[in-house]
């Protein structure tokens, strides 16, 4: 199957580690030119050098805090200045703090909204004029909580679901411009974020991390956590020319963990 990603330009948000970096790597492997972003400049530089060593797509980076509109504007303009175009956008953001309803303050609600939903809205707004030129694709990373709320993660459960509503609405609005937008939702993928959440559960239960991981894997039909590379392969397909008729949809990459239809 020909993905036809070579020579295209992608902006991948929050891509110095985890799922964002895995997607950036998958795209560079296909010959895509990629702009990565994150809050730590030295880390970004190291990761950009690592990606550039693949030798296929070109790579650049820009430090950005996506809760700040001025950083978003600079990030998009840097992408255009560097590569001259933009066809692919991957929205991503770190997960908000864990906690139940009675634990969360107004400040935490506002911060989670700005990071996990408003940032996506703002990035899409800035990138849209370029995506509309010849048609493009937007991929919004959410969470398996879009299908089944995760206990103790009320902030994520709330705003990740909002991403689905946003994507579904924009699919209709952007269709006349041949801009496709979809949501991709990871289950238990072996990232630092998942390890952190497992450690929180281990501390609450007074058991070791390995015990929590073992119990969690028993809830997954494939009996293991996914790899960032497996997740990124699905993302690359949805961003590619192999996908020309799927928009406004949500895709779980969860090893069969979520039982909802």
């Amino acid at each position: 199957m020909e993905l036809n990603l070579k020579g295209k330009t992608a902006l991948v948000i929050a891509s110095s580690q985890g799922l964002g970096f895995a997607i950036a790597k998958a795209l560079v492997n296909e010959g895509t030119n990629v702009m990565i972003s994150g809050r730590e400049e030295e880390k970004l530089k190291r990761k950009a050098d690592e990606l550039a060593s693949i030798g296929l797509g070109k790579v650049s980076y820009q430090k950005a805090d996506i809760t700040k509109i001025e950083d978003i504007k600079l990030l998009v303009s840097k992408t255009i200045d560097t590569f001259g175009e933009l066809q692919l956008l991957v929205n991503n953001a770190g997960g908000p703090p864990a906690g139940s309803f009675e634990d969360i303050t107004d400040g935490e609600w506002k911060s989670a909204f700005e990071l996990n939903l408003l940032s996506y809205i703002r990035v899409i707004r800035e990138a849209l004029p370029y995506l509309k030129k010849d048609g493009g694709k937007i991929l919004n990373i959410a969470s398996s909580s879009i299908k089944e709320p995760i206990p103790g993660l009320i902030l994520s459960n709330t705003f990740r679901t909002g991403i689905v509503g946003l994507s579904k609405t924009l699919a209709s609005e952007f269709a006349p411009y041949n801009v496709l937008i979809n949501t991709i939702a990871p289950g238990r993928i072996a990232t630092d974020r998942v390890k952190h959440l497992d450690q929180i559960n281990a501390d609450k239960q007074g058991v070791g991390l390995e015990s929590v991981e073992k119990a969690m894997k028993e809830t997954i039909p494939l009996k293991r956590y996914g790899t960032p590379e497996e997740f990124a392969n699905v993302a690359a397909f949805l961003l590619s020319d192999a996908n020309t008729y799927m928009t406004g949809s949500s895709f779980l990459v969860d090893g069969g963990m979520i039982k909802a239809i």
Side-chain angles (χ1 to χ4, degrees):
M1 183 180 293
E2 181 55 62
L3 298 182
N4 290 323
L5 285 166
K6 186 176 182 180
K8 293 189 176 181
T9 296
L11 169 58
V12 185
I13 306 299
S15 44
S16 64
Q17 63 183 18
L19 299 180
F21 180 75
I23 292 173
K25 186 174 183 179
L27 292 174
V28 171
N29 270 318
E30 292 294 330
T32 310
N33 301 323
V34 178
M35 177 68 70
I36 63 171
S37 71
R39 297 186 182 188
E40 300 176 42
E41 186 147 11
E42 284 302 314
K43 187 174 185 179
L44 278 171
K45 186 178 185 307
R46 291 196 307 271
K47 292 297 184 175
D49 289 344
E50 180 180 339
L51 292 174
S53 69
I54 294 171
L56 299 176
K58 298 177 182 177
V59 182
S60 187
Y61 69 91
Q62 174 63 40
K63 180 181 176 183
D65 178 348
I66 57 169
T67 64
K68 298 178 179 178
I69 185 63
E70 59 271 21
D71 281 20
I72 291 173
K73 289 178 179 290
L74 181 60
L75 177 56
V76 174
S77 65
K78 172 73 175 294
T79 303
I80 300 303
D81 290 345
T82 302
F83 299 116
E85 58 186 7
L86 176 60
Q87 293 93 8
L88 310 173
L89 170 63
V90 180
N91 268 317
N92 184 34
S100 61
F101 181 78
E102 292 182 303
D103 299 329
I104 305 299
T105 66
D106 277 6
E108 289 171 320
W109 277 107
K110 290 177 182 178
S111 294
F113 166 66
E114 290 180 352
L115 177 64
N116 296 111
L117 185 56
L118 185 58
S119 68
Y120 284 36
I121 294 167
R122 286 170 163 172
V123 174
I124 292 170
R125 184 189 294 137
E126 290 300 315
L128 185 59
Y130 307 101
L131 296 170
K132 286 166 62 175
K133 285 185 177 179
D134 298 303
K137 296 198 174 70
I138 302 169
L139 189 59
N140 291 327
I141 299 179
S143 161
S144 63
S145 63
I146 66 173
K147 284 289 188 178
E148 183 179 303
I150 302 171
L153 291 181
I154 189 169
L155 293 174
S156 181
N157 296 341
T158 301
F159 295 115
R160 304 296 197 188
T161 307
I163 291 170
V164 177
L166 174 69
S167 299
K168 194 68 174 178
T169 304
L170 295 185
S172 296
E173 293 191 16
F174 294 173
Y177 309 108
N178 197 33
V179 174
L180 279 59
I181 178 169
N182 289 293
T183 302
I184 184 170
R188 308 300 289 188
I189 308 296
T191 62
D192 289 343
R193 165 71 173 175
V194 168
K195 188 172 184 178
H196 172 68
L197 294 175
D198 283 348
Q199 188 62 62
I200 290 175
N201 286 330
D203 293 343
K204 284 182 179 179
Q205 298 171 33
V207 299
L209 177 62
E210 296 78 8
S211 177
V212 168
E213 290 178 344
K214 182 178 179 181
M216 185 60 67
K217 288 173 184 176
E218 286 302 312
T219 70
I220 302 171
L222 292 182
K223 303 301 181 187
R224 64 179 178 85
Y225 287 1
T227 67
E229 292 75 20
E230 288 175 311
F231 182 83
N233 287 339
V234 179
F237 167 78
L238 291 171
L239 291 164
S240 77
D241 284 357
N243 168 29
T244 56
Y245 202 60
M246 293 186 294
T247 189
S249 295
S250 300
F251 300 90
L252 289 170
V253 184
D254 70 338
M257 179 181 71
I258 300 301
K259 303 302 188 287
I261 296 174

